[in-house]
Amino acid sequence: MIRIPKTIYDEIISYTNSKLPNEACGILAGINNLVKKIYKMRNVEESPESYLMDPHEQIRVMKDIRENNMKMLAIFHSHPKTPARPSAKDINMAFYDDVFYIIVSFMNKIPDVKAFKIIGKSVTLEKILIED
Ligand SMILES: [Zn+2]
């Protein structure tokens, strides 16, 4: 289970929505599965079907997370036209066993947000708790 404050949850949706029709991505950091900070990342592929973070931006963010005594808790990205579940590529690119993968789907009118753990090829749906 990952706990996300409502303000950050809303920011995930508004940021990914602002990047439509392309996929958008970002990182959530915090402690004890409670998200404290959102990093809105650039999708260098600028594609409606995939995303890739800028490695340099990613290094800067990881440094900021460490310096603030947090951990990377989740990587989020959007699916503009497909359901909120990891694609074959998402599964192949999921290198972190202890990180939540959050997908925001804009396939329907109301955004669908789901969290997963991806270990090897095994995908598990995880609970998102939105906190005030
Ligand atoms: Zn994806």
Side-chain angles (χ1 to χ4, degrees):
M1 181 190 68
I2 183 165
R3 293 150 65 205
I4 308 177
K6 175 93 173 76
T7 48
I8 292 178
Y9 185 83
D10 289 345
E11 266 191 86
I12 296 168
I13 292 171
S14 62
Y15 176 61
T16 50
N17 184 62
S18 76
K19 296 295 180 187
L20 290 172
N22 288 340
E23 288 197 9
C25 53
I27 289 173
L28 302 178
I31 18 175
N32 300 327
N33 284 354
L34 172 64
V35 174
K36 301 264 188 203
K37 192 165 174 184
I38 177 173
Y39 297 89
K40 297 163 187 175
M41 310 290 283
R42 199 162 69 84
N43 175 7
V44 292
E45 292 190 337
E46 295 186 5
S47 157
E49 280 159 10
S50 65
Y51 77 98
L52 185 68
M53 290 181 191
D54 172 359
H56 297 105
E57 191 181 15
Q58 219 174 338
I59 288 165
R60 280 198 302 276
V61 163
M62 298 307 270
K63 187 164 177 277
D64 189 76
I65 291 172
R66 263 200 316 275
E67 283 172 359
N68 287 285
N69 297 311
M70 297 184 295
K71 275 179 58 183
M72 176 168 75
L73 296 182
I75 295 172
F76 68 89
H77 75 284
S78 58
H79 282 178
K81 288 186 193 309
T82 53
R85 57 166 178 264
S87 67
K89 189 183 175 194
D90 292 338
I91 294 168
N92 282 331
M93 301 290 282
F95 301 122
Y96 304 98
D97 286 359
D98 55 348
V99 157
F100 293 89
Y101 291 90
I102 295 175
I103 301 177
V104 185
S105 168
F106 290 97
M107 193 173 74
N108 300 308
K109 266 215 162 61
I110 298 164
D112 187 19
V113 185
K114 289 202 169 83
F116 303 89
K117 279 279 177 76
I118 304 173
I119 298 169
K121 297 279 174 260
S122 146
V123 178
T124 320
L125 184 66
E126 294 279 335
K127 201 175 159 55
I128 299 175
L129 201 70
I130 301 162
E131 304 198 333
D132 287 324

